[in-house]
Amino acid sequence: MKSETNTQQNQSFTLNMGPQHPSTHGVLQVILEMDGEYVLDPQPVLGYIHRMHEKMGESRPCRKFLPNTGRMDYVCALPFNHGYVGLIERAAGIEVPPRAEYIRVITSELNRVASHLLWLGAFLLDLGAFTPIMYSFDDREQILDILEEITGSRLTYCYFRPGGVYQDISDKFIEGTRAFIKRMRSRFSIYEKLVATNIIFIKRAEGVGVISPDMARRYGVTGPLLRGSGISYDIRKQEPYSVYSDFDFDVPVGENGDSLDRYKVRVQEMEQSLRIIEQALDKLPEGPYLGKAPKKIKLPPGDSSFSVEAARGELAYYLVGDGSEIPYRLKIRVPSYSNLSVLPELGRGILLADLVTIMGSFDLVIPEIDR
Amino acid sequence: MKSMNQFVDALKRLSVQISEVDYDRRGYHLEVSMADNQVREFAKAMLDNEFYLVFVTANHVKPAIEVVYQFAHFSTPCRVCARACVAEGEKISTISDIFHGADWHERETKDFFGVNFEGHPNLKPLLLAEDDADLKPLLKSEKMLKNVEEIRWQGEKPAKPAAAGKQAEQKAEQS
């Protein structure tokens, strides 16, 4: 691949990619300075779906912000629920019964698998492979059915509550989840044959969009992108929240930090999530699913922070309380925001077709970036 | 980062105020307060110690807007929250050439609070539209604005932290 192009003056032109472009996966615009087929300078333009969630969080009692959390990253909403209730519990000192924590872990991990499945299909669709999305959406549909039964919704979940979860899981849910784990494990070999050994896919993804560990640090890249670059950093291991320290699971890492490694890491992460779910179902304690939490939660003065590992990386909520029910300041740090900010540096001097690969491998969710 | 102690010593040499806080209640390990002209030195020290930038944001209080930086580390569980005050209409130095990820975070902070980052190469509206550049939606109204003492951690007797979280902490310490 050429990293430097022979640019003569006035030869470059501007190309708009998006906001209505299938491979931006939402209303993201990228203004590309082009020289023929080579990208000289890609600049993302954000804000098309900005809704000012932080302002909404600062203008209502903290409980009433819960539905908003599921509407930022609608593909992987439960970790967003998790981070917010975790923050409120930390700030206000609310206890959570063990059963509730286990249910949170089970449902969050199911949601992570569903999110990675959606990405798998969409990423390969970007590369021109139509078939994988049929398989991955078939699998994902199973999870949506399972989660719909207990959360009441298929995408924008609002299932967690400060002190626990909205309702207990049923035997049907447990049976369905176990059946899904069994089914999903038999599917990995299909994906392996269909995708991972496909020479066209490998040629398109290998060596494309290499993120070095140093670059990741400078931009604050987290999640599967960072782990693809060989850094074993996962909030579930590093700062174990909820009951993640009870489970035995690995953090898959890549070697080269290219798009192919990001693919491999996410597929392996799905297997690890299944391991976590299985252990959590085996160890699921009896007891209440919702602990005692005051109806009006007073947030004591001072700041607190809570980070969780969402499907795309580190999600951090930062709260400043003033003793009232309403947060004085609520900051939401979303993973894709920092992940996408690496694009102008990463996309310099590459082919336009490779830019599509890179953005596909990033697993972007635009409503999350714009908030 | 060589070791936690060396890192803390390096920060102390910058003559910033640094204190350890209760992770169970606050969600981070070290709290740093600094003057607005120490931001760049502090950011360099964080980069040298291999921290990454979690976010930059601000908080509108009386008498001045606080710019808040959070950093964390890829291999050592150490989360640092730093604050610098910048009076309304004043400028604070950018760290976007040290931590390149700060570029967008600083633009967002300019959008929401109107904080000016001196030396930022491209301080244009990011999330807000160009027409709304003067909106500054997260600034508090006179009625809602609190004094800085009212939103500081009071050091009150901590309520019981979440039982499960506590167990997790203990297990992490043991292993």
Side-chain angles (χ1 to χ4, degrees):
Chain A
M1 199 187 317
K2 271 161 72 174
S3 59
E4 280 178 23
T5 47
N6 180 21
T7 332
Q8 289 172 358
Q9 269 194 334
N10 302 329
Q11 254 202 344
S12 68
F13 61 95
T14 307
L15 184 69
N16 269 301
M17 186 172 171
Q20 308 286 343
H21 189 281
S23 70
T24 57
H25 300 281
V27 279
L28 170 71
Q29 185 187 15
V30 187
I31 297 178
L32 304 167
E33 196 60 32
M34 301 284 298
D35 178 18
E37 256 199 305
Y38 287 93
V39 179
L40 299 179
D41 182 29
Q43 287 297 340
V45 178
L46 310 184
Y48 281 94
I49 192 163
H50 175 55
R51 289 148 294 170
M52 200 75 238
H53 276 295
E54 290 177 19
K55 182 79 182 170
M56 286 189 251
E58 289 170 25
S59 56
R60 63 197 64 194
C62 56
R63 266 184 191 274
K64 293 190 177 169
F65 185 66
L66 259 176
N68 287 59
T69 60
R71 279 158 179 79
M72 282 178 267
D73 183 351
Y74 58 92
V75 183
C76 190
L78 283 170
F80 274 66
N81 277 194
H82 204 158
Y84 188 68
V85 293
L87 177 78
I88 300 296
E89 285 154 7
R90 177 170 278 164
I94 296 167
E95 273 191 59
V96 189
R99 187 179 175 86
E101 292 281 23
Y102 272 74
I103 296 173
R104 284 179 182 179
V105 168
I106 294 167
T107 48
S108 287
E109 292 306 315
L110 275 174
N111 204 181
R112 187 186 312 277
V113 177
S115 167
H116 281 0
L117 280 169
L118 181 137
W119 161 81
L120 191 139
F123 175 44
L124 289 151
L125 198 61
D126 284 349
L127 298 183
F130 185 73
T131 320
I133 199 169
M134 301 316 235
Y135 287 88
S136 72
F137 267 54
D138 187 12
D139 291 335
R140 176 170 172 265
E141 206 64 20
Q142 314 282 326
I143 302 177
L144 297 191
D145 285 345
I146 293 170
L147 287 178
E148 185 183 11
E149 198 218 316
I150 54 159
T151 64
S153 43
R154 291 172 70 80
L155 272 184
T156 50
Y157 307 114
C158 178
Y159 176 53
F160 299 167
R161 296 285 183 276
V165 295
Y166 159 64
Q167 63 174 0
D168 205 357
I169 54 175
S170 60
D171 291 341
K172 195 179 159 206
F173 171 86
I174 295 173
E175 275 167 37
T177 309
R178 285 198 189 278
F180 171 76
I181 294 172
K182 200 168 164 225
R183 171 201 159 103
M184 193 61 212
R185 288 211 165 117
S186 70
R187 302 283 279 189
F188 287 122
S189 60
I190 298 178
Y191 290 121
E192 176 80 23
K193 278 184 210 149
L194 189 66
V195 183
T197 55
N198 184 317
I199 189 72
I200 303 172
F201 167 68
I202 293 170
K203 289 260 181 205
R204 287 290 306 273
E206 199 170 25
V208 172
V210 177
I211 300 178
S212 68
D214 174 59
M215 198 196 254
R217 186 175 296 115
R218 281 186 284 115
Y219 281 95
V221 171
T222 49
L225 273 68
L226 176 68
R227 294 190 281 274
S229 301
I231 296 179
S232 169
Y233 178 69
D234 189 317
I235 312 268
R236 292 174 295 173
K237 284 273 190 202
Q238 177 97 282
E239 295 174 35
Y241 55 96
S242 192
V243 283
Y244 277 107
S245 53
D246 290 2
F247 308 117
D248 177 28
F249 65 101
D250 301 324
V251 180
V253 289
E255 286 167 12
N256 308 318
D258 57 3
S259 300
L260 187 64
D261 273 351
R262 299 197 266 278
Y263 169 84
K264 288 179 187 162
V265 163
R266 284 202 185 88
V267 172
Q268 287 166 24
E269 267 179 31
M270 285 196 263
E271 296 179 30
Q272 297 303 323
S273 289
L274 294 183
R275 273 178 74 191
I276 297 173
I277 298 166
E278 201 166 43
Q279 292 170 47
L281 285 174
D282 289 343
K283 289 199 236 173
L284 186 68
E286 293 296 327
Y289 58 91
L290 188 60
K292 281 190 185 125
K295 212 167 187 179
K296 289 184 173 176
I297 299 172
K298 291 258 192 323
L299 302 165
D303 60 344
S304 45
S305 178
F306 198 96
S307 288
V308 298
E309 187 71 29
R312 280 152 199 84
E314 178 182 1
L315 162 70
Y317 285 96
Y318 176 75
L319 170 98
V320 178
D322 60 357
S324 75
E325 266 188 278
I326 304 169
Y328 187 75
R329 174 83 184 98
L330 180 71
K331 161 74 187 169
I332 306 153
R333 187 266 192 206
V334 287
S336 291
Y337 188 81
S338 295
N339 290 356
L340 179 64
S341 70
V342 78
L343 190 74
E345 184 171 332
L346 203 59
R348 217 163 281 152
I350 61 164
L351 282 166
L352 179 58
D354 287 341
L355 191 80
V356 173
T357 311
I358 292 174
M359 284 172 63
S361 74
F362 275 16
D363 191 13
L364 301 170
V365 171
I366 312 303
E368 175 206 333
I369 296 174
D370 284 356
R371 286 160 291 145
Chain B
M1 186 160 63
K2 282 166 202 140
S3 82
M4 192 74 177
N5 288 337
Q6 278 178 330
F7 163 63
V8 172
D9 285 345
L11 282 192
K12 278 182 181 157
R13 275 200 295 280
L14 294 177
S15 65
V16 295
Q17 276 181 42
I18 177 164
S19 56
E20 277 184 50
V21 298
D22 178 11
Y23 179 84
D24 279 348
R25 288 308 309 279
R26 309 283 292 276
Y28 58 90
H29 301 89
L30 292 174
E31 189 174 22
V32 174
S33 335
M34 54 188 166
D36 54 355
N37 55 10
Q38 289 175 311
V39 169
R40 288 183 62 83
E41 282 174 39
F42 172 73
K44 277 178 194 147
M46 298 310 275
L47 189 71
D48 290 344
N49 286 287
E50 300 181 336
F51 278 79
Y52 75 94
L53 181 74
V54 181
F55 63 75
V56 179
T57 188
N59 188 18
H60 189 202
V61 286
K62 251 193 269 185
I65 295 178
E66 290 176 343
V67 180
V68 183
Y69 302 86
Q70 195 178 100
F71 294 90
H73 200 272
F74 286 147
S75 53
T76 316
C78 180
R79 203 167 273 276
V80 181
C81 210
R83 281 193 221 100
C85 282
V86 49
E88 236 163 315
E90 291 289 308
K91 286 182 175 174
I92 189 164
S93 297
T94 180
I95 60 162
S96 63
D97 52 334
I98 302 166
F99 283 95
H100 294 156
D103 185 328
W104 285 10
H105 287 285
E106 288 180 352
R107 278 172 74 185
E108 182 189 311
T109 310
K110 168 82 162 66
D111 278 2
F112 293 171
F113 294 90
V115 175
N116 275 307
F117 291 90
E118 199 167 19
H120 191 290
N122 182 28
L123 207 56
K124 287 193 302 195
L126 179 69
L127 291 174
L128 296 186
E130 299 265 348
D131 302 346
D132 293 335
D134 297 324
L135 204 61
K136 300 172 192 170
L138 288 184
L139 289 185
K140 303 280 178 192
S141 64
E142 196 63 42
K143 204 177 124 202
M144 303 298 288
L145 191 62
K146 295 258 157 103
N147 269 319
V148 66
E149 298 84 34
E150 291 175 80
I151 54 122
R152 280 282 184 269
W153 189 255
Q154 311 277 316
E156 39 102 61
K157 209 174 107 195
K160 279 181 204 161
K166 189 97 183 173
Q167 282 168 11
E169 281 293 313
Q170 283 164 355
K171 279 210 178 144
E173 276 167 24
Q174 282 162 14
S175 60

